[in-house]
Amino acid sequence: MTTTATSGPCSSTTTDSRPRADVAYGGAFYATVELTTLGLSVIPSDLPALIAHGLSIKAELNARLDLQLPDDELGNGFVLR
């Protein structure tokens, strides 16, 4: 995954078939990914794959982006919800 920062929310873009993740801060760092790029929907049968992709995306973004929370009480990195 290739990452690029923009003014406002950060964007993580890819030059291959991997999904794009938009990153924003709102008390914690959040990344959003279009589910259709993963071939998934919000349906019960896709739940295991949604969780697996979420954990994988979180790990990759934490490894690639050095994000620090302003108050540093909660540590750094992304929250998976």
Side-chain angles (χ1 to χ4, degrees), residues 13-58:
T13 58
T14 61
T15 56
D16 56 26
S17 62
R18 290 180 288 179
R20 170 191 166 113
D22 292 317
V23 177
Y25 178 78
F29 291 100
Y30 298 91
T32 59
V33 175
E34 185 68 39
L35 283 180
T36 57
T37 64
L38 302 174
L40 300 172
S41 298
V42 182
I43 56 174
S45 62
D46 281 349
L47 183 58
L50 288 169
I51 293 168
H53 279 293
L55 292 171
S56 175
I57 291 166
K58 176 184 175 182

Side-chain angles (χ1 to χ4, degrees), residues 1-4 6 11-16 18-22 61:
M1 186 178 286
T2 303
T3 58
T4 56
T6 61
S11 292
S12 177
T13 58
T14 61
T15 56
D16 56 26
R18 290 180 288 179
R20 170 191 166 113
D22 292 317
L61 290 174

